[in-house]
Amino acid sequence: MSVVMPDAAAVAELVRLPAVLSVPGDVLVGAAASGQVRDVARTAGLVAASSCLYLAGMALNDYADRDVDAVERPGRPIPSGRVSPGFALGLAAGLTAGGAAFAIAADGPRALKVVAPLAMAVWGYDLALKPTLAATPGMSACRGLDVVMGAGAHGAARALPAAAVVAAHTAVVTEVSRREVEGGSAAVATRALVATGAVAAASAGLSVAKAKGRAGRIAALGLVGAYAAVVGRAHAEAIADPSPERLQRAVGTGILGLIPLEAGLLAGTGAPAQAAAVAGLWPVARKLARKRAVT
């Protein structure tokens, strides 16, 4: 398999670079839920690990989909010839190894208890599960395990409720993404709208229950409300017009909508600085997504 070195713009498109801004919140939510978010060096290292694994999954996704994309999305980096399949596969492998190295450096060898299953889930989804009925639980497991990585195996139990909320949101996005190419399914968007409301309600309940003080509750509810309003509106528009363009927009909105959702969870766990930092990524990610697609 030949490997051709592509230009930076093609690589950024391959890994859907703006979407990586949705990743830091995963680790921060897990770290906050387990009481470790103030260990800055550990948290930063795990954010780097999470980002590497996410980007690896994006590169591997296009490697696995190269034949389908040649028909449905010929402009993507691999079918257009701007990135070789060998490069995409090698990049995915290198980023996975880098993610594992960052995780071990940040949390010691015990990090392998979470990062190994997470890496297996990423590769398993892209190479085997995506065209099957197990696609949605497979992708949800990736995001849920990413939250757990922030807590570590030793703090996983305390992070499970938040991980479940993140996994549920991911399930909604994944279900819509499975119809984004052909379009024509208002029922999918309708179910997504209802499910988004349920995710928002669960997140609000969890945040209010754990919030420390009135300010924390208000911030948490405001951020979760912003998530529900923006993501819900995208689903409502897809119900009215279930075209591929609208469904793709709903998927992109859902991917980036994880940012305010997780900021709300952080505000509810007494991590206001981290909540503000994650929330601040949202407008940046949305602006970048206008120039480079995240789906």
Side-chain angles (χ1 to χ4, degrees):
M1 185 181 295
S2 63
V3 177
V4 178
M5 293 301 295
D7 61 32
V11 175
E13 185 178 347
L14 175 75
V15 299
R16 298 163 179 82
L17 194 56
V20 78
L21 294 179
S22 71
V23 171
D26 293 352
V27 167
L28 288 168
V29 165
S34 60
Q36 302 174 84
V37 76
R38 289 178 177 79
D39 187 339
V40 177
R42 174 186 182 275
T43 302
L46 291 176
V47 166
S50 174
S51 299
C52 284
L53 289 168
Y54 184 88
L55 294 171
M58 293 296 99
L60 189 62
N61 175 82
D62 273 27
Y63 170 79
D65 282 358
R66 61 193 185 279
D67 293 334
V68 174
D69 284 345
V71 176
E72 297 180 347
R73 296 177 175 179
R76 289 294 300 162
I78 293 178
S80 68
R82 290 175 291 137
V83 173
S84 70
F87 178 87
L89 182 60
L91 180 62
L95 285 168
T96 300
F102 274 123
I104 293 170
D107 207 25
R110 66 184 179 183
L112 285 172
K113 293 180 179 179
V114 181
V115 76
L118 174 55
M120 290 173 62
V122 170
W123 282 71
Y125 172 81
D126 281 329
L127 297 181
L129 300 182
K130 187 161 49 176
T132 74
L133 294 176
T136 296
M139 178 54 74
S140 297
C142 291
R143 280 288 192 176
L145 284 168
D146 208 28
V147 174
V148 172
M149 186 166 69
H154 52 293
R158 285 180 285 173
L160 288 180
V165 168
V166 172
H169 166 78
T170 304
V172 176
V173 176
T174 305
E175 279 296 300
V176 178
S177 73
R178 288 165 65 84
R179 304 292 187 273
E180 67 176 328
V181 174
E182 68 269 20
S185 181
V188 170
T190 301
R191 290 194 295 270
L193 178 60
V194 173
T196 295
V199 169
S203 179
L206 182 62
S207 298
V208 169
K210 291 189 174 183
K212 298 177 181 179
R214 184 168 179 267
R217 287 193 293 273
I218 292 173
L221 290 175
L223 288 162
V224 173
Y227 155 79
V230 173
V231 177
R233 178 180 177 182
H235 292 319
E237 291 175 346
I239 293 171
D241 174 20
S243 63
E245 293 76 16
R246 289 289 188 183
L247 288 172
Q248 288 165 18
R249 187 179 303 174
V251 172
T253 301
I255 291 171
L256 300 185
L258 184 59
I259 298 175
L261 178 67
E262 292 186 325
L265 289 169
L266 283 165
T269 52
Q274 291 79 7
V278 170
L281 295 175
W282 194 28
V284 177
R286 295 178 73 185
K287 182 177 180 180
L288 292 175
R290 296 189 188 103
K291 300 178 180 179
R292 198 176 302 281
V294 298
T295 66

